[in-house]
Amino acid sequence: MCGIIGYCGPRAAGEVLLDGLKRLEYRGYDSAGICVGFDNALTVVKSTGKIAHLRGIVPAALPGTYGIGHTRWATHGVVNDVNAHPHTNQAGDIAIVHNGIIENFSVLKEKLISEGHVFRSQTDSEVIAHLLSDFYEGDLEAALKAVLHLLQGTYGIICVHAQEPNRLVGARNGSPLVLAVGQNEMFLASDVMATLAHTKQVVYLEDGEVVSITNDAYHISELRGDKPISKKVEIISWELENIEKQGHSHFMEKEIFEQPESILRAIQGRLDPENATAHLGGLNMSNTELRDIERVKIVAAGTSFHAGLVASYLMESVAQIPCTAELASELRYRNPIVERNSLYFAVSQSGETIDTLSAMRELKRKGARVLGICNVIGSSIAREAGAGVYIHSGPEIAVASTKAFTSQLAAFYLFTLLISRMHNMSFEAGRGFIQNLSSLPDLVRQGFEQQNHIRALAEKYSHYRDFLFLGRGLNYPVALEGALKLKEISYIHAEGYSAAEIKHGPIALINDETPSIFLVPGDSLREKVISNMKEVKARRGKVIALCVADDEEVKNTADDIITIPKAGEMMYPFLMVVPLQLFAYYTALKLGRDVDQPRNLAKSVTVE
Ligand code: M6R
């Protein structure tokens, strides 16, 4: 949450910062601002609203070749111009941008006020600027280090001093910060997307590191002690076109339609038909270690949690290994028991979700072996896990996660195949599993033939205020995911349930004002789900059913259907979720919602 950027180089900093902030906007979009240094003075321009608005109020020829920028997801202090970053000290010669939460800010603020400091905003971050002015003795890096010792909480910070032109100092603790190394120019940013247009060379900073940049040099040192740290410069594989809309109206639309390719990227080179198994080199586990696993536990948040839930059903039924998925936010505070021979997965598209990261740390502290399933290479979870599976979805920019979900599933399906073949799965069954997995990109593409029909249905149903999403078995988590997609981008209330559970309460909601979306694949639970559907129909509930093309019984029972291609029983989560993503997308479009940046949300949830 919140995106920060800093630039030192030969170019007009205002433009570079605004472009970078545009790329970081998915992290928060309540307000935004920049601070540019020129002639030993700092100019701050900030405002409520999105980057497009900020661009409109930044003077066209703002002089200055270094500066900092911020796009905000509000935590402390309402959304207004004053609470927008950057924040300055009283003299206006120091400015900071901050992503994270300073937990002890009120104590620090009270003390500063008693010493005569006058605060302008209600944010926690402003204390940093005031403290810096107290500690500044001609060296911004030394001042920042002194200040950081007083702070409790999380931060990615970049600061600038008018008397130290073309120099920025940054630090991180619990919030991401990356150094990007260009040609005679340097950047600091919350993630690499902000700087990809300028350079592919990056250095990932760790918690407890402080970085100082000028146009052509950088210096990284420990917060505790002055020891310089030498770090590897890494090359990012993403291309600029990966972070453009490429003719689509929204990133969400682009990302939904990319799924045949992104699923293929997740499985490509990892299937071994000859031995009817999968290879996941990043796990760094020997066959003996894999064979010794007695249970698997998955922690994640939001959509990644739903992928983990599908995996828990899959792994138990296919690999016959006990597997549970748990919300990371719950696990981290309940003193989890780490059992021997358990394997843990922390699943996160961004690799920065604080709940998942903290749960992972808690588990590791207690001796657990935790693998990461991440999309963003070099992200905190990926690095701290040290081993795991990259899903290779490519950048996912829309706040609503789509292609990451199917690629996370693909990663879990590969792992299930691998571990099943070491436990109980026959060669023949392994071959079948591989065939089913390999057919997915084409089947998902085939499913897109329903695109116009789904759009028409979304428009037809867009005036309803409440929806139920109902599925069973592997498709129960998909129902949860369908409901999440609809509510987060269309703001329509939606609940996901196991179809069997509605009789235990939710059926009370059924009337002709509450449509239900039933997931009825041609699997072993089909008959049961059809019965649940009939129970809803008997109560005048409207039903949209997702089913295979020749399912006459479902066709005759539902008010509307969306057909999905026939597939192996275990593969339906992939084929069910895509129409639900499209349904949410077209509903939000019809209602005129801000599809890629829905209200109150941010892509990476880096605060608790
Ligand atoms: O980056 P992560 O996968 O860790 O993110 C987890 C959730 O914040 C995320 O899936 C969120 O629920 C999405 N907005 C769902 O579309």
Side-chain angles (χ1 to χ4, degrees):
M1 327 215 100
C2 298
I4 61 173
I5 182 164
Y7 173 72
C8 277
R11 293 187 277 161
E15 266 311 303
V16 178
L17 294 173
L18 286 168
D19 284 348
L21 286 178
K22 188 76 202 136
R23 306 274 187 204
L24 291 175
E25 200 171 26
Y26 73 94
R27 300 178 67 89
Y29 31 83
D30 292 333
S31 63
I34 59 169
C35 167
V36 174
F38 178 68
D39 230 2
N40 293 108
L42 302 179
T43 305
V44 174
V45 188
K46 58 183 188 175
S47 162
T48 307
K50 296 196 172 187
I51 309 302
H53 175 71
L54 179 66
R55 196 177 278 281
I57 59 169
V58 170
L62 183 64
T65 56
Y66 67 102
I68 56 179
H70 187 275
T71 180
R72 180 169 187 241
W73 187 84
T75 57
H76 293 61
V78 295
V79 178
N80 63 21
D81 293 356
V82 179
N83 288 336
H85 294 223
H87 293 288
T88 55
N89 62 337
Q90 235 157 286
D93 55 2
I94 295 174
I96 64 107
V97 286
H98 167 227
N99 166 30
I101 291 181
I102 306 304
E103 284 162 5
N104 58 339
F105 87 98
S106 37
V107 182
L108 296 168
K109 186 169 174 176
E110 239 169 72
K111 184 163 180 291
L112 286 160
I113 289 172
S114 73
E115 289 164 2
H117 287 260
V118 177
F119 278 75
R120 299 181 194 94
S121 77
Q122 293 113 41
T123 64
D124 52 335
S125 313
E126 192 182 343
V127 293
I128 304 168
H130 289 267
L131 287 168
L132 277 173
S133 65
D134 274 4
F135 282 92
Y136 187 73
E137 287 176 353
D139 178 358
L140 189 57
E141 183 178 323
L144 182 62
K145 283 186 172 176
V147 170
L148 295 182
H149 289 303
L150 302 177
L151 304 184
Q152 285 162 16
T154 55
Y155 53 77
I157 296 173
I158 313 175
C159 55
V160 56
H161 197 299
Q163 300 309 319
E164 297 187 39
N166 277 80
R167 183 185 189 209
L168 304 178
V169 183
R172 70 162 276 179
N173 180 47
S175 300
L177 193 64
V178 178
L179 160 69
V181 182
Q183 282 280 341
N184 193 32
E185 57 185 3
M186 298 282 166
F187 307 80
L188 291 171
S190 298
D191 73 41
V192 298
M193 282 196 253
T195 56
L196 191 57
H198 311 290
T199 177
K200 287 189 162 194
Q201 301 191 81
V202 297
V203 177
Y204 294 103
L205 299 163
E206 305 289 340
D207 286 353
E209 292 179 351
V210 176
V211 58
S212 174
I213 61 168
T214 57
N215 288 15
D216 49 15
Y218 64 87
H219 167 76
I220 303 169
S221 61
E222 288 172 342
L223 168 58
R224 304 190 183 279
D226 278 332
K227 225 170 75 197
I229 301 173
S230 136
K231 299 189 70 129
K232 198 168 137 215
V233 177
E234 304 194 31
I235 310 294
I236 312 160
S237 58
W238 288 352
E239 299 296 333
L240 193 56
E241 62 185 39
N242 299 147
I243 57 172
E244 308 282 4
K245 286 193 197 132
Q246 294 183 298
H248 288 275
S249 315
H250 297 95
F251 281 110
M252 184 177 179
E253 184 189 46
K254 174 184 173 227
E255 289 157 9
I256 291 172
F257 284 101
E258 264 175 26
Q259 288 175 104
E261 293 78 39
S262 55
I263 293 171
L264 183 64
R265 275 199 302 277
I267 59 177
Q268 219 164 27
R270 289 169 163 173
L271 291 172
D272 174 357
E274 213 165 294
N275 297 298
T277 187
H279 295 297
L280 291 167
L283 299 182
N284 282 343
M285 290 179 76
S286 68
N287 287 353
T288 314
E289 285 173 317
L290 281 166
R291 249 178 247 117
D292 285 346
I293 292 169
E294 285 169 12
R295 64 193 74 75
V296 173
K297 299 197 173 181
I298 300 163
V299 290
T303 290
S304 300
F305 169 66
H306 295 155
L309 264 184
V310 175
S312 69
Y313 277 80
L314 181 82
M315 236 177 276
E316 287 212 357
S317 93
V318 178
Q320 291 282 285
I321 293 176
C323 179
T324 51
E326 184 172 352
L327 288 169
S329 51
E330 289 300 315
L331 179 129
R332 62 177 294 203
Y333 289 118
R334 68 164 181 82
N335 199 13
I337 296 165
V338 171
E339 292 157 301
R340 281 168 60 84
N341 297 338
S342 293
L343 181 66
Y344 288 80
F345 283 100
V347 191
S348 173
Q349 185 285 130
S350 62
E352 300 295 347
T353 300
I354 195 73
D355 288 325
T356 311
L357 184 58
S358 308
M360 178 173 111
R361 287 177 180 157
E362 183 64 20
L363 289 167
K364 285 180 82 170
R365 194 172 296 123
K366 295 191 158 124
R369 180 172 205 155
V370 189
L371 302 176
I373 293 197
C374 294
N375 187 32
V376 179
I377 295 180
S379 56
S380 302
I381 292 175
R383 280 177 300 125
E384 287 193 27
V389 186
Y390 276 122
I391 61 172
H392 300 305
S393 293
E396 189 183 69
I397 293 167
V399 163
S401 186
T402 53
K403 62 176 179 171
F405 177 78
T406 45
S407 296
Q408 288 164 345
L409 289 188
F412 275 124
Y413 275 62
L414 290 169
F415 179 77
T416 303
L417 171 62
L418 170 69
I419 198 150
S420 301
R421 287 285 291 129
M422 289 183 180
H423 283 80
N424 60 340
M425 189 186 259
S426 70
F427 179 83
E428 270 318 303
R431 284 290 273 267
F433 201 89
I434 288 185
Q435 253 168 22
N436 281 330
L437 261 182
S438 310
S439 67
L440 279 173
D442 279 344
L443 292 176
V444 169
R445 202 171 287 116
Q446 223 173 293
F448 290 148
E449 287 165 16
Q450 292 281 302
Q451 174 189 356
N452 291 336
H453 172 60
I454 297 170
R455 183 175 194 146
L457 282 184
E459 291 178 358
K460 174 176 164 188
Y461 284 86
S462 61
H463 65 283
Y464 288 97
R465 304 318 319 143
D466 302 283
F467 277 80
L468 291 181
F469 285 71
L470 304 164
R472 295 194 71 171
L474 280 176
N475 293 294
Y476 158 54
V478 180
L480 299 181
E481 177 58 10
L484 176 62
K485 285 290 88 85
L486 187 68
K487 65 187 140 195
E488 75 178 321
I489 61 164
S490 73
Y491 317 150
I492 292 173
H493 172 241
E495 297 290 341
Y497 282 101
S498 155
E501 272 296 300
I502 52 167
K503 288 194 290 296
H504 300 286
I507 202 162
L509 296 170
I510 298 295
N511 59 21
D512 56 3
E513 288 298 302
T514 307
S516 301
I517 300 194
F518 272 90
L519 310 184
V520 207
D523 66 4
S524 50
L525 288 166
R526 175 180 165 274
E527 310 293 328
K528 305 268 178 212
V529 182
I530 292 176
S531 301
N532 301 143
M533 207 160 83
K534 289 187 170 157
E535 288 152 12
V536 167
K537 281 307 303 168
R539 286 158 183 84
R540 295 193 303 124
K542 296 247 177 324
V543 167
I544 304 174
L546 274 66
C547 62
V548 292
D550 56 1
D551 198 328
E552 292 304 322
E553 191 177 359
V554 175
K555 254 189 221 168
N556 295 334
T557 313
D559 295 282
D560 286 291
I561 60 158
I562 297 170
T563 57
I564 54 162
K566 260 202 181 124
E569 174 160 349
M570 297 292 163
M571 304 296 141
Y572 283 114
F574 292 88
L575 305 175
M576 288 284 174
V577 79
V578 176
L580 297 184
Q581 296 166 346
L582 283 171
F583 185 82
Y585 174 69
Y586 289 128
T587 305
L589 214 57
K590 171 75 180 166
L591 296 175
R593 306 297 192 223
D594 190 342
V595 172
D596 282 339
Q597 295 174 345
R599 71 182 178 205
N600 304 338
L601 286 168
K603 181 78 177 158
S604 313
V605 183
T606 55
V607 294
E608 271 199 74

